[in-house]
Amino acid sequence: MNRLGVMMLALAMALASVPAHAKMALQTYALPEGAGPHDVYPAPDGTVWFTAQAAGKLGRLDPRTGKSDLISLGRGSAPHGVIVGPDGAPWVTDGGQNAIVRVDPLTRAAKVFPLPKDRADANLNTATFDREGVLWFTGQNGVYGRLDPRTGAIAVFDAPRGVGPYGITTTPAGEVFYASLAGSYLGRIDLKTGKATVLEPPVPRQGARRVWSDSQGALWITGWDSGDLFRYDSKAKSWARWHLPGDGPQPYAVYVNEADAVWLSDWGANAILHFDPKSERFESYPLPDRYASVRQLAGRKGEVWGAESGADKLFVLRAE
């Protein structure tokens, strides 16, 4: 090989070693003591919403000032998940009220959509909107369901294998999938009939916890009990699996950004991990607080947001 060839080879090797994403800097935001943040969701307008589960309220953070305030959702509220809907409003899965709650981002007024009386104590978890504007939700006590915001109609379905429905997501094609923690499966919902089909990950009793779709319709799932990251290709109907590094990994939350980079929280390492699907490598970002307990991740372009439920803080990883 001539000198030019050697130089080109060296350059190619150097480029191959560069991460496929920008370096990230971590910043934390202190919340009111006792807030107990669970889920977090950044809105397009710059606001960051979070569920203050321990306080029984919805929180709003202004990252520019670092100031946050809490909004009442109703008597007995114990909010779990929050997402921002197509209408720009935060929608909350409220286990305490056994209801879906919409909060007007301007007036802060809360509109409560209670589940049917025969579906008490659903232990509501997480929600997603399908491409028709219908909200789908999970309940850990063995249910999943849908709410049509236009009519207020709610339908609730019994989940295969009973208890366990946890994370839920919508693919770019409009399919809705959920993960069952206790059931250890990925569920695909028929949006017309409401029936769920069980999809078996390649590891039994893996404890599928959270799920997020990438831009190609592949589902990324955390295996809480097995310490694995899974990918289900919804087009090829095939599975892939990667075991997290370190001793005793416990992957909880997962988020896939606009570039299809995968982020997850590892309770075993008390860190946020970046996974590059191309190189199949993990990169760790240790959290500054002990036992941070990051239960959910979300983001917007150039940012990854999470809630430290063990430290009453939110954090963001921003591209430098």
Side-chain angles (χ1 to χ4, degrees):
M1 183 180 295
N2 60 28
R3 184 177 180 182
L4 179 59
V6 172
M7 292 175 63
M8 293 299 291
L9 177 61
L11 178 60
M13 292 177 66
L15 290 174
S17 65
V18 175
H21 69 101
K23 284 293 182 181
M24 309 291 280
L26 188 145
Q27 180 181 358
T28 60
Y29 297 87
L31 302 178
E33 184 177 355
H38 198 288
D39 281 19
V40 60
Y41 208 97
D45 66 359
T47 302
V48 178
W49 299 95
F50 61 94
T51 49
Q53 190 176 61
K57 296 182 178 180
L58 177 66
R60 181 169 63 176
L61 169 74
D62 183 346
R64 296 168 299 180
T65 63
K67 293 182 179 180
S68 60
D69 58 330
L70 303 181
I71 301 168
S72 179
L73 298 175
R75 185 175 180 180
S77 175
H80 188 289
V82 59
I83 59 173
V84 174
D87 58 355
W91 290 77
V92 178
T93 39
D94 191 333
Q97 297 192 88
N98 202 45
I100 306 298
V101 183
R102 179 193 184 274
V103 174
D104 187 301
L106 297 178
T107 67
R108 304 190 187 190
K111 184 174 183 179
V112 180
F113 299 87
L115 266 61
K117 292 182 179 180
D118 61 347
R119 294 292 188 168
D121 194 26
N123 195 2
L124 291 170
N125 194 283
T126 314
T128 186
F129 279 91
D130 67 20
R131 295 294 172 258
E132 302 300 320
V134 174
L135 182 143
W136 292 83
F137 57 86
T138 56
Q140 284 192 79
N141 285 347
V143 300
Y144 60 92
R146 67 181 177 225
L147 162 66
D148 187 338
R150 293 163 293 193
T151 65
I154 294 180
V156 182
F157 307 93
D158 293 318
R161 301 183 185 175
V163 297
Y166 207 93
I168 190 168
T169 191
T170 302
T171 70
E175 291 187 292
V176 176
F177 293 79
Y178 70 88
S180 177
L181 175 60
S184 284
Y185 67 87
L186 177 67
R188 182 179 61 232
I189 301 174
D190 184 316
L191 303 188
K192 293 183 179 180
T193 67
K195 182 180 179 180
T197 299
V198 171
L199 303 170
E200 300 279 6
V203 176
R205 298 180 296 280
Q206 78 295 134
R209 191 151 208 164
R210 294 279 196 179
V211 56
W212 204 287
S213 174
D214 66 20
S215 67
Q216 303 303 308
L219 289 308
W220 294 85
I221 307 112
T222 49
W224 170 255
D225 293 328
S226 67
D228 295 311
L229 173 65
F230 298 96
R231 181 185 65 202
Y232 176 71
D233 187 325
S234 61
K235 297 176 182 176
K237 296 180 172 53
S238 62
W239 287 91
R241 168 211 176 197
W242 298 269
H243 194 68
L244 272 63
D247 298 326
Q250 287 184 300
Y252 198 123
V254 63
Y255 162 67
V256 184
N257 72 8
E258 71 282 352
D260 282 344
V262 182
W263 294 86
L264 55 157
S265 63
D266 180 3
W267 280 33
N270 195 44
I272 304 303
L273 303 183
H274 166 260
F275 178 74
D276 181 359
K278 294 181 179 179
S279 67
E280 300 186 279
R281 293 180 180 177
F282 291 94
E283 183 178 5
S284 178
Y285 291 83
L287 291 162
D289 300 291
R290 295 183 63 189
Y291 311 114
S293 303
V294 177
R295 302 171 188 271
Q296 192 250 7
L297 297 172
R300 52 193 169 204
K301 190 174 182 179
E303 297 180 344
V304 180
W305 284 87
E308 296 187 16
S309 60
D312 277 339
K313 292 181 180 179
L314 299 185
F315 72 84
V316 61
L317 281 159
R318 289 193 180 94
E320 293 184 314

